[in-house]
Amino acid sequence: MPGSEYQDVRKLNLFSRMADENFASLMRGAYVQNFPAQMELITEGDPSDFFHIVISGSVDLFSSWNGRETSMATVRPVSTFILAATIKDAPYLMSARTLEKSRIALIPSQDVRAVFDADGNFARAIVTELAQGYRSVIRAQKDLKLRTSLERLANYLLRQQKHAGGGAVFELDFEKRRLASVLGMTPENLSRAFKSLQPYGVAVNGTRITIGNQADLEHFAKPNPLIDDHSS
Amino acid sequence: MPGSEYQDVRKLNLFSRMADENFASLMRGAYVQNFPAQMELITEGDPSDFFHIVISGSVDLFSSWNGRETSMATVRPVSTFILAATIKDAPYLMSARTLEKSRIALIPSQDVRAVFDADGNFARAIVTELAQGYRSVIRAQKDLKLRTSLERLANYLLRQQKHAGGGAVFELDFEKRRLASVLGMTPENLSRAFKSLQPYGVAVNGTRITIGNQADLEHFAKPNPLIDDHSS
DNA sequence: AAAGATGATTGATTAATATCAACCCATAAG
DNA sequence: CTTATGGGTTGATATTAATCAATCATCTTT
C-alpha cells in the first residue's frame, strides 16, 4: 500500500488513535487489491473472513430474499464496511459489490479481533464506530416506517443538498435505479416521485437537481434531526 | 436493589465478565424504581442521561414523526436499552414507555462511560452487545424492505413459535395493535393478514396461535437465517 | 348486571406502490 | 453511421396497504 493511502486509512476515526505498531501490524496483513466494476466482493451468509476498507471507488451493500434484492447502503472512500460481522465472527448479513473500479483493502477478521483485544484505543474506536452505525440504521428504519416514499425522497434530497454544500443546485451521488432501491421504491416510482416534487420547485436534469423553492420543499419534507442528521 | 435482582443483572452478557468492584460501583449509582403502566420513561431527542435496565415488566421503544408513531422494539426482562446513545453521549433516537407495571434500573450514562474506559472486559461486552444490536436492526430493515406485510407476519409467527418452544400452539407476546406497529402495518391490516394466513393453517384465538400446517406456512414464509435467526 | 372503555374485526373506499409494457434517449460497440 | 444496450420515463393496470366507519368483543368499573 502506497504511503498516501496508508495515511488516508490511518486518519479514519477507527484507526487514528491506536498504537502505531498495531496499525502497522494490521496493514502488514492486509491484502490491497483493485477490483473491476460490478465485482461481488462478499456474499451474504458467507463467514466474515475479512474486514474491508474502501480506498477508492465505491461499493454497494445489498441484500436478497426470495428473488428480490434491495440496496442497503453505499460505501465511499475512505471508509470501512461490515465491522459488526467481523467483530462477532458471524456471517455477513449483506452482500457487497463494486459500483465502479475500486481499490479495496481486506484485513483478516482475526487480525482485527486480535488487535481489538490488545489495543484499548482501537477497542474504544470500534465501540464508537458500532454505536454510530447502529444509530444510523435506526434512523433509516424510522425513515422507512414513518414516511411515504415521496417523503423519503424529499428528505433525501435535502440531506444530499446539505452534504453537497447547501446550494440550490447539486448532483445526486447515486444512479437513479439504485437511489430508488436505497429509498425502498421502484425506479418507476422514483421517476414519478420526482415529478410529484415539481410543485415544490424540484427540477431534475439527469443527476443534476435544482431546488427552486427551499422553504416549500422543507415544509413538505419536514426534516428531523433524529432521522436526517447523520452526524449526531 | 435486592440480591436476587442484583444477580439477575450481573448475569447479563453485558455485565457478567466485568470486575466485581466495577459492577458494584455501577449498581451503587443506579436508581431502581417501579413505574406504572404507560409511563413515558424517555423521550426521543432528550440527552441520554441514563442507561436503562428492565428488571421486570416490559418496555416499548417507539418513534414519532409528523404525527405518526411506530413501535421499534419491545424490551423484556432482564435486558437493557439505548446503549448506543449512552456510549455516544448523543440524544435518544427513540422514546420508551412501560407497557405494564415495570421495575427499571437507571444508571447514569457517565458512570457507564467511565467504567467502560476502566474495565476492558466491560468494554468488550459492550462491543459485542452493540454489534449484536446493529445486526438485529439490519435484519429488521431487510425484513421491511424485502417482504410484504403478510410475509413479515408469517415469518414473525414462525420466529415466535420457535421462541415459544416450537409447538403448534403458542401465544403472541404482543398486544395485536402493537404487533401491527412493530411489523409496520395497521391493526386493520394485521387482522386481515391473519385471515389471509388461514389457508396456510394458521388459526387465531385472541393471543393464542395455532399453526395447523407447519410445512405450508414455512413454504409461504420462506424464513431465512440471515433475516430471522436472531441468535447469529 | 349495566355502563363505559378499549381493543379487535369487518366492510367499503381511497391512497400508495408495484408491475407490465412500451418507448425514449444516450452511449458504446461494430 | 448504424446498431445494440441499458438506464430512464411514461401510461395502464394490478396489488398492497391505509383510512374511515361501523360493529363486535372483552374487560373493568360501578
Side-chain angles (χ1 to χ4, degrees):
Chain A
M1 190 189 298
S4 68
E5 287 178 10
Y6 189 94
Q7 287 310 323
D8 286 344
V9 174
R10 180 63 155 139
K11 278 185 204 134
L12 291 176
N13 286 330
L14 191 57
F15 299 112
S16 62
R17 298 189 171 195
M18 68 193 302
D20 275 329
E21 178 193 323
N22 291 326
F23 180 70
S25 159
L26 277 184
M27 290 304 116
R28 265 196 307 276
Y31 304 88
V32 186
Q33 280 188 270
N34 293 310
F35 293 96
Q38 307 303 330
M39 167 90 354
E40 186 151 329
L41 300 171
I42 64 180
T43 303
E44 53 184 357
D46 283 357
S48 55
D49 294 328
F50 294 97
F51 178 58
H52 294 242
I53 307 172
V54 182
I55 294 172
S56 70
S58 56
V59 171
D60 184 37
L61 300 182
F62 65 100
S63 276
S64 307
W65 178 80
N66 194 25
R68 297 166 214 167
E69 182 179 309
T70 189
S71 220
M72 303 287 286
T74 300
V75 189
R76 297 176 194 286
V78 179
S79 59
T80 67
F81 60 95
I82 42 149
L83 177 58
T86 289
I87 290 297
K88 287 218 70 177
D89 195 9
Y92 297 128
L93 292 180
M94 300 182 281
S95 301
R97 75 163 75 87
T98 54
L99 290 169
E100 56 194 304
K101 193 166 170 305
S102 300
R103 190 163 164 80
I104 316 275
L106 296 88
I107 306 181
S109 290
Q110 58 191 38
D111 292 3
V112 176
R113 289 192 293 270
V115 176
F116 164 72
D117 280 330
D119 189 312
N121 284 329
F122 185 46
R124 264 183 286 277
I126 285 179
V127 165
T128 302
E129 191 90 356
L130 283 175
Q132 175 77 34
Y134 191 164
R135 286 167 62 87
S136 282
V137 192
I138 293 281
R139 269 188 282 263
Q141 193 164 328
K142 290 169 67 173
D143 194 43
L144 273 172
K145 291 186 78 176
L146 290 167
R147 290 171 170 163
T148 66
S149 59
L150 192 56
E151 291 164 342
R152 289 198 295 278
L153 174 60
N155 280 291
Y156 166 78
L157 291 178
L158 291 173
R159 288 198 302 269
Q160 180 59 19
Q161 179 194 30
K162 195 171 181 182
H163 184 254
V169 181
F170 60 94
E171 298 280 328
L172 293 177
D173 60 352
F174 283 110
E175 197 178 34
K176 279 185 192 159
R177 54 175 27 243
R178 214 152 36 71
L179 173 58
S181 185
V182 167
L183 292 177
M185 57 205 289
T186 58
E188 294 96 324
N189 235 344
L190 175 63
S191 192
R192 291 177 189 117
F194 273 122
K195 278 195 156 180
S196 304
L197 290 180
Q198 276 177 11
Y200 302 98
V202 174
V204 187
N205 191 320
T207 60
R208 168 161 275 121
I209 306 292
T210 307
I211 294 185
N213 192 329
Q214 188 79 20
D216 263 17
L217 183 61
E218 287 182 0
H219 181 257
F220 169 74
K222 294 181 173 54
N224 181 312
L226 299 179
I227 303 180
D228 302 293
D229 183 357
H230 278 248
S231 68
S232 69
Chain B
M1 189 188 296
S4 68
E5 286 177 11
Y6 189 94
Q7 287 310 322
D8 287 344
V9 174
R10 180 65 155 137
K11 278 184 202 135
L12 290 175
N13 287 330
L14 191 56
F15 300 113
S16 62
R17 299 191 171 192
M18 67 194 301
D20 275 328
E21 179 192 322
N22 291 328
F23 180 69
S25 158
L26 277 185
M27 290 303 116
R28 265 196 306 277
Y31 304 88
V32 186
Q33 280 189 268
N34 294 309
F35 293 96
Q38 307 303 331
M39 167 91 355
E40 185 152 330
L41 300 171
I42 65 180
T43 302
E44 54 183 357
D46 283 357
S48 55
D49 295 328
F50 294 98
F51 178 57
H52 294 242
I53 307 172
V54 182
I55 294 172
S56 70
S58 56
V59 172
D60 184 38
L61 300 182
F62 65 100
S63 276
S64 307
W65 178 79
N66 194 26
R68 297 165 214 167
E69 182 180 310
T70 189
S71 220
M72 302 287 286
T74 300
V75 189
R76 295 174 195 288
V78 178
S79 59
T80 66
F81 59 96
I82 41 148
L83 178 57
T86 289
I87 289 298
K88 287 219 71 180
D89 195 8
Y92 297 129
L93 292 180
M94 300 183 280
S95 301
R97 74 163 76 88
T98 54
L99 290 168
E100 55 194 305
K101 194 167 169 304
S102 300
R103 192 166 163 79
I104 316 275
L106 296 88
I107 306 182
S109 290
Q110 58 192 40
D111 292 3
V112 175
R113 289 191 293 269
V115 176
F116 163 72
D117 280 330
D119 190 313
N121 285 327
F122 185 46
R124 264 182 286 277
I126 284 178
V127 165
T128 303
E129 191 90 354
L130 283 174
Q132 175 76 35
Y134 191 164
R135 286 167 62 87
S136 283
V137 193
I138 293 281
R139 269 188 283 263
Q141 192 164 329
K142 289 170 67 173
D143 194 43
L144 273 172
K145 290 185 78 176
L146 290 167
R147 290 170 170 164
T148 66
S149 60
L150 192 55
E151 290 164 342
R152 289 198 295 278
L153 174 60
N155 280 291
Y156 165 79
L157 290 179
L158 291 173
R159 288 198 302 270
Q160 180 59 18
Q161 179 194 29
K162 195 172 181 181
H163 184 253
V169 181
F170 60 95
E171 297 279 329
L172 294 177
D173 60 351
F174 282 110
E175 199 179 30
K176 279 183 192 159
R177 57 177 23 243
R178 215 153 35 70
L179 173 59
S181 185
V182 168
L183 293 177
M185 57 206 287
T186 59
E188 295 96 323
N189 234 344
L190 175 63
S191 193
R192 292 178 188 115
F194 273 122
K195 277 196 155 177
S196 305
L197 291 180
Q198 275 177 12
Y200 301 99
V202 174
V204 187
N205 192 320
T207 61
R208 168 161 274 122
I209 306 292
T210 307
I211 293 185
N213 192 327
Q214 188 78 23
D216 263 17
L217 184 61
E218 287 183 0
H219 181 257
F220 170 74
K222 296 182 172 55
N224 181 312
L226 299 180
I227 303 180
D228 301 293
D229 183 357
H230 278 248
S231 68
S232 69

